């Protein structure tokens, strides 16, 4: 029996894997504190991909005719596939420069892979053009957390601290479906007499477990947060001593919320003024009584062109009430992907070097270049963000933009299904000279590739993940991979060797982790003191965990942040002014409804893995709408509807439910379709696309 962690979300639930003959059985790992033995359906069924007939076990190559027309994918040897990739990447580099080659990574990759991929891009390819799907996940919260608190770690304390809150505001999170074992903390908090507030245009299973549910018009959450702060200020409930001692910038923020009285909030958000007051009163009363208020955000408020401002505005509320720094109080973000946290710390982000260092900081460049044994001047600068990168693929230079990449290597993302404005993105992918995808299965994106490289899946390899609490955990290999597949680390190393990379690319994950530790040393996300052995004996180690002290005593790691100081050099948090703009695309006569998108319990992300697990419900996409809207459209439950936006259309059956705003429709994005509709407007600070709202028309 091996202890390991689930292949999916950021909870990284502990589980055991047992081999019995050919079967692989998932069992509970009761001692692991984050989930205490609980798993959701996806975790229990996660062994279902083992031995799946659609599992890739041989590289595939697509031949191109002399006229450029594309043939079918055919089986190839590893040498043929890798030689082809290396020679094409070299050709593109010679003809178009280093930035002619792009790399697209993922928040589902282990820390070791994310680190190796970032190093591979900067050192073996010399390209600045690397980014990853985490840009579509937590980037708005990351950007806001960095600016306001000086450090970006999803939760500033262990998940179990959530139970200590007296009021928990869940802004745009449906954690009962997206992190089900975490929902027990809501129940315990309420059993203790605390209250849960959910802000979501739908009455989700999470909202069903709340004391107060506010249902805003999608894309208007910023106004709610501004309105709450207005009432906190008006009531004289600001913790002036805390604000004076621990923050800067409050006076401007105080002035900026002056006009956000509840009726104004109601006009913008559709939430009744009385409900806005009820929420503010709850927070004010709790703070005055010395209680704890915790605001947690997730994709519902973050995946907007104003997502990072909305997060900043909620942080302002938490700061004004004097909460951040207390256990179970303040602000946190519920990260999403398995390694959503670690994936954004070790260098696969366009502007980043390992240890959450900036690629534009000369000292950071010098430190990392020394670990890599290369000249700091040889490291490229900052590249394009994920959507801007995809949008630029195959494009010639223009007056204000250099030419886009002509070749791209993708690890761990199914872009065709999960990117916004997906028809456009798919067309960009098709314009490439070379698309290489490493995957376990022939995802919709792999099916477009010129070369597909079959890689190991979680139970077949070892590596670390950093969960939503900043706890670094260890996934351990439990079974032998099928013949013919390689690990991502082996793929990266084999390509680096063929490209004559001027640094080493180890394939043993523990060796890579030790190198990552050195590269991260002294950075904000310092992993230098973490080892596989420590993770095993301590059930995870929280970063920052610098190298042992001079006398050899190990650093204990940092479960709780901000108790005495924030991450900025002066130790103070920043109040930052935000101004309401609203969604990039507003309803109009042609597209009169709000469309929003999200998740269901039984499927994961683009569905590439979970749609292939036979014990999970594969319903296909559907359009959730309110009975009032159904009546207006003259449709009934189950009837196939067409949903159109300015970018594309899809057809899917109606699901008529009382639990959604009548002016809004919801489509899950686990199947092809939803993202043909979504808007690619970006948040100016985080470059997050507006997945959560656009204008749509629905017809029966
Ligand atoms: N079952 C399952 N679990 C998952 C995943 C999965 O694919 N499936 N993915 C993982 C990943 S990567 C992530 S990022 C997390 C995401 O976790 P969540 O953020 O909880 O999931 P979503 O369903 O994307 O969005 C949450 C809610 O936002 C609401 N919402 C939509 N628009 C708005 C708005 O304008 N304002 C507000 N306040 N709410 C809005 C939606 O109705 C939805 O209920 O889940 C992780 N866990
Ligand atoms: N409309 C809409 N779109 C969204 C969202 C939304 O809420 N609404 N949410 C966005 C968010 S938060 C996210 S995180 C993205 C996620 O969307 P994607 O980036 O598409 O993520 P996955 O579906 O997890 O894709 C992972 C792919 O990598 C493969 N894979 C899994 N593990 C490994 C590995 O270790 N190595 C390699 N090489 N491959 C592996 C899987 O088989 C799968 O094909 O979607 C975004 N898109
Ligand atoms: S909650 Fe997340 S980590 Fe836990 S079993 Fe479900 S998918 Fe896996
Ligand atoms: Mo995500």
């Amino acid at each position: 029996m091996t202890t390991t962690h689930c292949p999916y979300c950021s909870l990284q639930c502990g589980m055991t894997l047992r081999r019995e003959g050919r079967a692989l059985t998932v069992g509970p790992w009761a001692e692991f504190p984050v989930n205490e033995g609980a798993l959701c359906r996806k975790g229990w069924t996660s062994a279902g991909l083992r031995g799946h007939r659609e599992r890739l076990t041989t590289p595939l190559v697509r031949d191109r005719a002399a006229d450029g027309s594309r043939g079918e994918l055919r089986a190839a040897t590893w040498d043929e596939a890798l030689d082809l990739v290396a020679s094409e990447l070299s050709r593109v580099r010679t003809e178009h420069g280093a930035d002619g080659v792009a790399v697209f990574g993922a928040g589902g990759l282990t820390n070791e892979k994310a680190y190796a991929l970032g190093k591979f891009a900067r050192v073996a390819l010399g390209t600045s053009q690397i980014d990853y799907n985490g840009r579509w996940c937590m980037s708005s919260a990351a950007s806001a957390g960095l600016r306001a608190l000086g450090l970006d770690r999803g939760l500033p304390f262990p998940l179990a601290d959530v139970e200590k809150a007296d009021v928990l505001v869940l802004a745009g999170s449906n954690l009962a479906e997206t992190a089900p074992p975490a929902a027990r903390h809501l129940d315990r908090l309420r059993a203790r007499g605390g209250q849960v507030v959910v802000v979501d245009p739908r009455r989700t299973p999470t909202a069903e477990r709340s004391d107060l549910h506010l249902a805003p018009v999608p894309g208007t959450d910023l106004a709610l947060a501004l309105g709450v702060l207005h009432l906190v200020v008006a009531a004289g409930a600001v913790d002036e001593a805390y604000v004076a001692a621990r923050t800067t910038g409050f006076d401007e923020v105080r002035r900026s919320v002056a006009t956000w009285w509840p009726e104004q909030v109601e006009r913008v958000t559709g939430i009744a003024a009385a409900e806005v007051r009820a929420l503010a009163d709850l927070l004010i009363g709790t703070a005055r009584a010395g209680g704890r208020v915790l605001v947690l955000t997730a994709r519902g408020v973050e995946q907007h062109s104003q997502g990072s401002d909305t997060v900043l505005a909620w942080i302002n509320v938490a700061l004004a009430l004097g909460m951040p720094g207390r256990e179970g109080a303040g602000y946190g973000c519920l990260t999403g992907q398995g390694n959503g946290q670690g994936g954004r710390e070790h260098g696969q982000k366009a502007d980043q070097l390992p240890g959450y260092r900036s690629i534009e900081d000369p000292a950071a460049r010098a430190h990392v270049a020394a670990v890599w044994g290369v000249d700091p001047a040889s490291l490229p600068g900052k590249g394009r963000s994920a959507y801007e990168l995809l949008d630029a693929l195959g494009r010639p230079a223009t007056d204000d933009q250099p030419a886009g990449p002509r070749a791209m290597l993708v690890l761990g993302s199914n872009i065709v299904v999960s990117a916004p404005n997906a028809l456009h993105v798919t067309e960009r992918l098709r314009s490439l000279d070379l698309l290489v995808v490493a995957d376990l299965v022939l995802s919709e994106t792999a099916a477009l590739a010129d070369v597909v490289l079959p890689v190991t899946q979680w139970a077949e390899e070892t590596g670390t993940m950093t969960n939503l609490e900043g706890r670094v955990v260890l996934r351990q290999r439990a079974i032998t991979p099928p013949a013919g597949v390689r690990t991502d680390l082996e793929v990266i190393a084999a390509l680096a060797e063929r490209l004559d990379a001027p640094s080493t690319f180890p394939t043993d994950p523990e060796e890579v982790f030790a190198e990552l530790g050195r590269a991260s040393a002294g950075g904000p996300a310092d992993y230098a003191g973490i080892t596989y052995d420590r993770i095993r004996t301590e059930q995870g180690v929280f970063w920052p965990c610098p190298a042992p002290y001079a006398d050899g005593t190990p650093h204990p790691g940092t479960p709780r942040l901000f108790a005495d100081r924030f991450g900025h050099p002066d130790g103070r948090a920043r109040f930052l002014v935000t101004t309401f703009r609203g969604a990039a695309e507003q309803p109009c006569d042609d597209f009169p409804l709000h469309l929003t998108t999200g998740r269901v319990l039984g499927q994961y992300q683009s569905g590439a893995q979970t749609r292939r697990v036979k014990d999970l419900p594969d319903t296909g996409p559907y359009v959730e709408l309110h009975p009032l809207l159904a009546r207006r459209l003259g449709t009934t439950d189950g009837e196939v509807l067409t949903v159109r936006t300015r970018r594309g259309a899809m057809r899917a059956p109606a699901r008529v439910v009382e639990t959604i705003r009548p002016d809004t429709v919801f489509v899950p994005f686990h199947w092809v379709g939803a993202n043909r509709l979504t808007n690619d407007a970006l948040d100016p600070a985080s470059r997050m696309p507006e997945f959560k709202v656009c204008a749509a028309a629905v017809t029966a």
Side-chain angles (χ1 to χ4, degrees), residues 6-13 15 35 38-44 178-182 604:
C6 173
Y8 305 120
C9 87
S10 64
L11 222 47
Q12 283 303 287
C13 292
M15 57 166 57
N35 57 313
L39 298 173
C40 79
R41 284 164 85 166
K42 297 185 297 304
W44 290 119
T178 55
Y604 190 68

Side-chain angles (χ1 to χ4, degrees), residues 227-247:
V228 169
L229 187 56
H230 170 95
L231 289 169
V232 168
V233 170
V238 173
D239 184 339
E240 302 285 352
Y242 176 99
V243 168
R246 302 211 51 187
T247 71

Side-chain angles (χ1 to χ4, degrees), residues 11 24 155 261 311-312 339 354 363 375 412 510 587 611 613 618 653 665:
L11 222 47
L24 179 67
L155 292 182
W261 49 86
V311 175
L312 285 175
N339 198 25
D375 178 357
E510 193 161 5
R611 280 185 273 126
V613 173
D618 186 3
V665 296

Side-chain angles (χ1 to χ4, degrees), residues 357-381:
R357 290 184 150 98
S358 164
I359 202 163
E360 292 178 319
D361 169 7
R365 294 168 68 86
H367 172 85
V368 174
V371 174
W372 291 349
V374 300
D375 178 357
S378 72
L379 299 178

Side-chain angles (χ1 to χ4, degrees), residues 488-666:
D488 289 296
L489 290 177
E490 287 166 348
V491 168
I492 292 168
L495 289 174
E497 188 189 340
R498 282 169 173 78
L499 293 164
D500 287 327
S503 186
T504 52
F505 286 84
T507 55
D508 170 28
E510 193 161 5
E511 202 180 318
V512 178
F513 189 73
E515 185 183 311
L516 178 165
R518 291 193 297 280
S520 74
D526 191 332
Y527 281 39
I530 310 179
T531 61
Y532 279 18
D533 278 344
R534 272 193 72 177
I535 299 175
R536 284 191 190 100
T537 53
E538 297 171 32
Q539 295 181 327
V541 180
F542 290 80
W543 72 257
C545 180
Y549 297 103
D551 67 359
T553 322
H555 186 286
T558 315
R560 295 188 176 85
L561 298 167
F562 309 143
D564 311 312
R565 51 182 292 118
F566 292 98
H568 289 297
D570 62 3
R572 286 166 177 264
R574 306 278 183 266
F575 275 97
L576 295 164
V577 172
T578 57
T579 308
F580 183 78
R581 295 188 305 275
E585 196 175 69
Q586 296 293 335
C588 58
D589 287 350
D590 292 340
F591 301 100
L593 296 166
H594 302 282
L595 167 73
T596 190
T597 61
R599 296 163 164 81
V600 299
L601 202 167
Q603 289 292 326
Y604 190 68
Q605 315 278 63
S606 72
Q609 291 157 280
T610 46
R611 280 185 273 126
R612 291 178 167 89
V613 173
K614 68 170 182 357
D615 292 330
L616 290 174
D618 186 3
T619 61
Y622 56 85
V623 186
E624 207 177 273
L625 75 168
H626 193 274
L628 288 174
L629 177 59
R631 203 172 317 141
R632 220 174 75 210
L633 297 172
T635 188
T636 51
D637 194 72
E639 192 183 358
V640 175
L641 302 177
T642 302
V643 187
R644 282 181 304 111
T645 69
R646 290 189 173 82
R647 294 152 295 277
M650 73 177 287
R651 285 171 64 71
R655 194 175 279 192
V656 179
V657 296
E658 304 267 357
T659 50
I660 189 168
R661 288 182 59 93
D663 57 4
T664 301
V665 296
F666 169 87

